[in-house]
Amino acid sequence: MKIAIINGPNLNLLGIREPGIYGRQTFEDFLKDLKEKYPAVQIDYFQSNVEGELVNELQRVGFDYDGILLNAAAYTHTSVAIGDAITAIKTAVIEIHISNVAAREEYRQKSLISAKSVGSITGLGLKGYELGLLYFL
Ligand code: DQA
């Protein structure tokens, strides 16, 4: 089984960035633990701060991977291109947010990803990625 995790802008700063909201663990540490826990799953990770690179990666993994866990970060709320890419590919996407976006600023209430995804996991911290992986399993 092949699962892609795709993270958007500023998520490379997890562990440093607003730890009260996003926690103190780096994504690299979390990913190492996740891979150790699920050795039978190929988990490929991609992060970019650039919208078009996220579209390119969705297209790259979107036809032969078994599932995509996408945290488009701030692009969730603005990117028609990422929403269109999800529609264009074959692989199912789960939308992930570390924080509970519903409890935050109004501009975070809109998602251009949710309706294109099989489901959304928000507010459960990094655990959300593992729960998304379990869904695909
Ligand atoms: C986020 C929520 C977004 O609103 C925000 O722009 C992020 C992270 C989350 O994981 O909680 O960068 O996607």
Side-chain angles (χ1 to χ4, degrees):
M1 164 161 285
K2 284 201 298 186
I3 299 294
I5 298 179
I6 301 178
N7 274 347
N10 301 305
L11 293 172
N12 54 314
L13 296 181
L14 285 178
I16 304 168
R17 172 193 185 197
E18 299 178 89
I21 297 176
Y22 298 112
R24 295 192 180 276
Q25 195 175 18
T26 67
F27 200 80
E28 287 67 24
D29 277 354
F30 167 75
L31 189 61
K32 188 173 162 287
D33 292 348
L34 191 69
K35 285 181 173 177
E36 279 171 17
K37 199 166 169 185
Y38 300 93
V41 184
Q42 179 183 324
I43 304 171
D44 292 340
Y45 176 55
F46 179 85
Q47 188 277 331
S48 178
N49 296 322
V50 180
E51 184 178 14
E53 289 183 359
L54 297 168
V55 172
N56 285 344
E57 184 65 6
L58 282 164
Q59 292 185 8
R60 190 185 75 79
V61 300
F63 294 90
D64 69 332
Y65 277 59
D66 299 297
I68 298 170
L69 304 171
L70 172 65
N71 186 344
Y75 288 136
T76 302
H77 316 298
T78 61
S79 179
V80 173
I82 292 175
D84 282 353
I86 297 171
T87 307
I89 62 179
K90 275 176 60 184
T91 303
V93 170
I94 296 180
E95 176 187 28
I96 309 281
H97 296 290
I98 297 163
S99 66
N100 181 0
V101 283
R104 299 183 64 192
E105 299 92 336
E106 202 178 329
Y107 60 83
R108 295 185 205 276
Q109 310 302 314
K110 181 175 115 188
S111 169
L112 299 178
I113 309 294
S114 305
K116 312 284 178 81
S117 304
V118 285
S120 304
I121 301 173
T122 76
L124 303 183
L126 291 173
K127 190 85 184 160
Y129 292 88
E130 182 178 357
L131 295 171
L133 177 70
L134 285 172
Y135 171 82
F136 286 126
L137 276 175

